Amino acid sequence: MFRTKTVFLLNLAAITFLFAQPAIHSSYYQNDFSMTSPGAMKYGLYGFDNPALLNYLDSPDLLVTWSNPPSFLGNINRFGFFGALPHFGFGVVKQRGPIFYATDYRISLSSGNRAASMGLTYGWTNSDDPFKDYSNILRIGALFRPNVYASVGLIGTAALRGNDKEGVVDVAARPFGNELLALFADFSMETKRLPSTPKWSAGGAVELLPGVRVTARYFDTKVLSLGLQFSLGTIGVESQAEYDGSGSYSYNTYGVRIGAYDRNIVQSFLFRKKEYLDLNLYGPVKYRRYVLFDNSKTLLNLLDAVDAAKNDPAVSGIAINASGMDANREMLWELREKLKEFEATGKHVIIFIDRGGIDEYHFASVADKIVMDPSGMLMLQGFMMGRMYLKGSLEKLGIGFDEWRFFKYKSADETFSRDKMSDADREQRQKLVDDDYRLAKDDICASRHFSSAQFDSLVNDKTLFLPNDACTSGLVDTVGRWDVVEKMVKGMEREHQFMVSPFMLAKNHLPSDNRWGEPPRIAVIYALGACAMDEGITARRLVKDVNAAVNDPRVKGIVLRVDSPGGDAMASDYIAEALKKAKGKKPVIVSQGYVAASGGYWLSMYGDTIVAAPNTITGSIGVIGGWLYNKSAKESLGISTDFVKAGEHADLGFGMTMPFFGLTLPDRNLTEDERGKMEHSIKALYKDFVQKVADGRKKSVDTIEAIAQGRVWSGYDGEANGLVDVLGGLSDAIAIAKTKAGIAKDEDVKIVEYPAMGLFNFDAFAPRLFGIDVKKDAAVEYLKFRFEHNGEPLPMLPMEYLDVKPAE
């Protein structure tokens, strides 16, 4: 008996050596664990099959599988472990047969994007089979997904000893451009010691319900596998049954997955309208944030969070904690409008407030219910605009100022030349505050059901409201702390609601295989602060970002977000001309923030569409100049200067360096002839400005001249006079860019923001490191800016509009 068994084993070994597996395992070796071709569904086997698929994984995931396929010697126990992080995967397949065992190990890396990626796998095998000489392998994988419909995978495997090689092509198609249906096929060819027959398979995967997938796969060996995958979110189970060529059941494979979030029926149906978005608005709302050590909220992220909640079937409302919120009134209006869109779907908004003025209450009034802190206070004092004048201070310091003003409303230098408002400045400022009042009044009356007379009385007769007064007056609904909000949620929805963060919204953690290929890109470029070459908007650097977006074929549209009071005409023109070159190549949409006037409007004028909020300050098409010079400051400080010159005007601008500031105070004012030359340059620049706006807005010069002269306008008036096309915010501008680029309204886009932010804000650490906290004074900063641009024609607004920073 022993001899018979020994002969049998020797014969089996000989047969195996000649005809069985080559020195590398075929790609079809793990097909009992693969429900489809690698690129057809999810992430394949996490790099074990095609390493390029790891590029689609955006969070850690783990899959454990096992099966018991039969063989003519008895059942084989197979076990698979596949774990992965983004761009890295590790897999093990262990097989124990009646006689021998073999364990395959694979380590994989990937790089690329969702349209094209590459991957590399290194593998080795441990086995106690004395008749097989397994070689370590090197595998290269590629994945191409040019659009939402097609996927092509290429896999090449080579033994590091011997000549065994294998090539695999797998193709898949999503006829509807989504996960509902995927059809696939794959083809494999090996080169080994003996002739090899090509292998192939084909099939389909259907996902009729979120996370519930049914698969069918037919092999060239006439084997059919049928699979079912069921996801519960961060965990999932799967099973696959295999039928042999005669149609008889052969065996099952089972699997359990844990880690990355997946589409699932539980979230979409069982939790429908059982969540509230918990939105804490404490702190400043910025445009940008640094990569590290910065948990700031940004306008775009907040708008996206409300949009994601609106489209999430699990969310029934938003609870907002507005305590300590710090945002300008234009940003608050944009957030308010986005919340109105949310409410229009039948979902609810509850806002908690403690202290605030009319801007904060205007924002909060959008809510279905307002809760006010029992120790809080409201001030509905109306709106005002004022400015500080430095004429008297400059005279006491011995500094003279010559204002070069040739246009009625261009009032930027009244700060230095006057001690109160000019009639023209008073006129334009009064119109702005009247429009701010109108906007707040209309919105608050509509939301809280006040009459116009009631609102005026609340502002003019009462003004200050303690919590109970606010409740009695109908300004708020309940007095209480934040815990009252959670009770109110339950009362409104008539059942318990789970409070979730923005991260937990479906849009923010769905798997990236929702969409094949790179989504189209919309570039959002921020031009923030004073128009200057190396500060503020940093035009010298920003123009490179504009050109990069214009020349990037992946970017289908550009949105320029402007929050700038102007400054240096050259800085403004750098950006405007770069955007002008994009015309006809891709849409350029301008989104104007709180201030986009003077040089800020120069930045905007070539946009295909200009979008502004009703309370945006826009326009101010004009130029002004002025000259700061020494009257007696130098002599008072005991400083004297002297010079020699060659050239009649060589000493213009020469003077003492001011202590502590490092700025030059010219010794003298301009002569009549020099002043005449400056007047000519200012008027020429103004004429050029008006012409450029006329060209950009496709209007006559006379039409623009009638609304120019340096006059500022609200967004309301800007829409009426043609300086603005649409009243709206940043999200509206992005939607317009999508439409003009031919992108469907409901199609996802990737927002790429320019300029790139730094790793962290060193200024935020300086007070902690050195024990000092130096705060910049707006008046000093403005004075410094004017000294740096002394005598230059400037399209800019007064100093109170200069405090617009990109991330502060």
Side-chain angles (χ1 to χ4, degrees), residues 147-160:
N147 51 47
V148 296
Y149 302 104
S151 174
V152 178
L154 302 175
I155 307 168
T157 306
L160 297 182

Side-chain angles (χ1 to χ4, degrees), residues 58 132 251 309 481 493 534 590 604 633 671 706 723 743 805:
D58 49 22
K132 292 193 177 71
Y251 68 95
R481 294 258 152 87
E493 306 302 336
D534 301 300
V590 174
S604 309
T671 66
L723 290 178
I743 302 170
K805 304 284 196 305

